[in-house]
């Protein structure tokens, strides 16, 4: 059995905490997304926080997921691999989307109709099942099925991947950055940022970021097969981390300088081209840089890190409910939106991990999420 990479577990914990903070900020900043609670005041300072997060953190989740996939498939085979994926991803997805989210939305909307009528109007006419932040699980399920099919079609899959990687060179990050920039710009001509569609009628997707997510998932698989994470040197990783941090800093400086808006959501617009390249630079720099930073500095676990790691996935599943509850508590408080965001985050993160620890003591929960 392959040695567990503790730095990836630790990085996943940090990304999960960032997801909690991102959703805590949704109510209080100038985000383009839809949120079920309304706060009239917004903190403009959170604008670059949203933009930088969207530029890399879900993409890095996909890269890590792709990296872990080949070993899971090799150890279980196709049938057991898919069964484990549907258990770990599919059961929580069905439970939350069909049983939890309808009740939450009904309570937040406080409609004048009955709960049954609300479900009929909102979910069934037309069919529109709300999965919220669990769209990530839907994508992982689709990718797991596609990967399994590919492994069946190509019995020599691992050699194909290794051969392709060798043809591309050792670490073709610049070529990938330029390709991601171009494809992202072209996709956003029709699908601007924050426009969600149902691919194939059942896969909720923000198409503007799909090139990043799908490509990083594939890169994760290639990295696992070719041991890229072990081959990338500390110097290379820290160089890319520096590039990503500089691009991130410039995004914050641009917002604070009150310059004309250059962050176009899409369309045939030079601003969209600039942001596509800027975003791709943040993405490649931080994804590669953070992996190497954690490999060099955090490839260990103590008791606290082990507990956090064991609960990270459950926290991802439940955190939205905790955050919405805290946002409702502070809804009628007159404090500034940035202070509300800070309070919701500082209270919400440990509360999510605490609730997760309690839930994981339940035998059924522990069995599903193991």
């Amino acid at each position: 059995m392959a040695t567990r990479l503790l730095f990836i577990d630790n990085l996943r914990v940090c990304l999960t905490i960032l997801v909690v903070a991102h959703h805590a900020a949704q109510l209080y900043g100038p985000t383009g997304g839809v949120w079920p609670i309304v706060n009239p005041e917004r903190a403009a300072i959170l604008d670059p926080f949203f933009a930088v997060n969207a530029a890399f953190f879900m993409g890095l989740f996909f890269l890590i997921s792709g990296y872990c996939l080949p070993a899971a498939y090799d150890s279980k085979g196709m049938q057991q691999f898919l069964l484990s994926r549907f258990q770990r991803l599919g059961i929580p997805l069905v439970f939350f989307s069909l049983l939890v989210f309808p009740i939450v939305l009904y309570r937040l909307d406080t409609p004048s109709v009955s709960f049954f009528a609300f479900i009929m109007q909102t979910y069934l006419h037309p069919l529109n099942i709300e999965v919220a932040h669990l769209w990530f699980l839907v994508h992982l399920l689709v990718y797991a099925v596609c990967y399994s099919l590919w492994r069946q079609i190509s019995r020599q899959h691992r050699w194909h991947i290794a051969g392709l990687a060798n043809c591309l060179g050792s670490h073709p990050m610049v070529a990938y950055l330029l390709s991601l920039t171009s494809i992202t710009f072209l996709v956003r001509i029709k699908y601007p940022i924050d426009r969600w569609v149902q691919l194939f009628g059942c896969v909720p997707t923000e198409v503007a970021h799909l090139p990043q997510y799908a490509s990083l998932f594939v890169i994760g698989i290639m990295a696992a097969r070719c041991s890229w994470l072990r081959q990338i040197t500390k110097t290379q990783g820290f160089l890319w981390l520096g590039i990503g941090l500089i691009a991130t800093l410039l995004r914050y400086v641009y917002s604070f300088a009150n310059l004309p808006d250059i962050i176009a959501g899409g369309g045939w617009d030079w601003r969209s081209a600039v942001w596509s390249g800027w975003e791709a630079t943040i993405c490649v720099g931080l994804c590669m840089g953070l992996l190497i930073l954690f490999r060099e500095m955090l490839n260990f676990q103590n008791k606290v890190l082990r507990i956090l790691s064991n609960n990270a996935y459950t926290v991802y599943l439940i955190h939205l409910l905790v955050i919405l509850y805290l946002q409702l508590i502070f809804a009628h408080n007159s404090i500034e939106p940035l202070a509300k965001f800070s309070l919701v985050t500082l209270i919400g993160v440990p509360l999510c991990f605490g609730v997760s620890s309690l839930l994981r003591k339940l035998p059924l929960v522990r069995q599903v999420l193991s």
Side-chain angles (χ1 to χ4, degrees), residues 316-329:
Y316 184 87
L317 295 177
I318 68 169
H319 78 273
L320 198 61
L321 305 177
V322 176
I323 291 303
L324 288 172
Y325 175 73
L326 291 174
Q327 288 174 339
L328 283 173
I329 290 177

Side-chain angles (χ1 to χ4, degrees), residues 66-67 73 76 92 118 176 191 194 199 226 243-244 253 275 278:
Y67 188 86
Y73 187 99
K76 298 176 181 179
F118 171 78
Y176 172 67
Y191 296 99
D194 288 324
L199 289 183
C226 304
I243 293 171
V253 169
W275 178 239
W278 197 345

Side-chain angles (χ1 to χ4, degrees), residues 40-337:
E41 296 182 348
R42 300 288 175 131
I45 194 174
L46 291 174
D47 175 52
F49 178 71
F50 291 128
V52 170
N53 289 347
F56 86 97
F57 72 157
M58 293 310 299
L60 187 48
F61 264 127
F62 277 107
L63 191 155
I64 291 172
S65 299
Y67 188 86
C68 297
L69 209 64
Y73 187 99
D74 291 343
S75 65
K76 298 176 181 179
M78 179 177 180
Q79 183 175 356
Q80 287 301 316
F81 169 76
L82 288 177
L83 285 175
S84 68
R85 293 294 90 188
F86 280 103
Q87 172 184 303
R88 185 171 171 82
L89 303 173
I91 292 177
L93 180 63
V94 171
F95 174 76
F96 279 94
S97 60
L98 297 185
L99 298 178
V100 177
F101 292 153
I103 297 174
V104 172
L105 289 176
Y106 180 75
R107 297 286 298 187
L108 291 175
D109 285 353
T110 60
S112 57
V113 298
S114 67
F115 178 69
F116 178 76
F118 171 78
I119 294 299
M120 292 294 293
Q121 295 173 6
T122 307
Y123 277 68
L124 301 180
H125 296 290
L127 183 64
N128 182 30
I129 297 176
E130 178 61 68
V131 298
H133 64 296
L134 301 187
W135 64 267
F136 179 54
L137 275 61
V138 180
H139 282 242
L140 290 184
L141 278 172
V142 172
Y143 292 169
V145 171
C146 291
Y147 179 76
S148 298
L149 292 175
W150 171 251
R151 289 290 296 265
Q152 290 299 304
I153 293 171
S154 176
R155 296 289 184 176
Q156 301 299 319
H157 173 61
R158 69 182 64 186
W159 298 112
H160 286 297
I161 286 293
L164 176 60
N166 291 332
C167 290
L168 292 174
S170 58
H171 312 297
M173 291 295 104
V174 174
Y176 172 67
L177 191 157
L178 295 175
S179 300
L180 180 60
T181 297
S182 302
I183 296 172
T184 297
F185 170 68
L186 293 174
V187 166
R188 291 180 182 179
I189 293 174
K190 184 175 181 180
Y191 296 99
I193 295 173
D194 288 324
R195 177 183 294 176
W196 288 75
V197 302
Q198 295 285 342
L199 289 183
F200 312 112
C202 61
V203 182
T205 306
E206 186 198 15
V207 183
H209 282 108
L210 185 59
Q212 178 194 125
Y213 299 158
S215 61
L216 284 175
F217 187 84
V218 173
I219 287 175
I221 295 174
M222 297 172 67
R225 284 304 188 200
C226 304
S227 300
W228 278 355
L229 292 189
R230 299 185 187 278
Q231 295 176 19
I232 298 173
T233 66
K234 181 178 178 180
T235 301
Q236 289 172 320
F238 283 12
L239 174 62
W240 278 104
L241 179 62
I243 293 171
L245 290 175
I246 291 172
T248 296
L249 178 62
L250 289 175
R251 179 62 181 86
Y252 275 87
V253 169
Y254 195 91
S255 288
F256 298 156
N258 293 319
L259 296 172
D261 182 26
I262 199 174
I263 314 303
W268 193 264
D269 191 322
W270 67 270
R271 296 175 301 170
S272 180
V274 169
W275 178 239
S276 294
W278 197 345
E279 184 184 75
T281 304
I282 294 173
C283 173
V284 174
L286 293 188
C287 286
M288 183 173 175
L290 287 174
L291 280 166
I292 303 308
L293 175 67
F294 274 69
R295 186 194 70 185
E296 297 295 324
M297 304 295 186
L298 282 166
N299 195 21
F300 66 90
Q301 280 191 342
N302 53 29
K303 183 177 180 180
V304 174
L305 287 173
R306 192 176 305 112
I307 292 173
L308 294 177
S309 176
N310 291 339
N311 285 278
Y313 178 55
T314 309
V315 167
Y316 184 87
L317 295 177
I318 68 169
H319 78 273
L320 198 61
L321 305 177
V322 176
I323 291 303
L324 288 172
Y325 175 73
L326 291 174
Q327 288 174 339
L328 283 173
I329 290 177
F330 291 106
H332 301 294
N333 197 297
S334 60
I335 60 177
E336 295 295 319

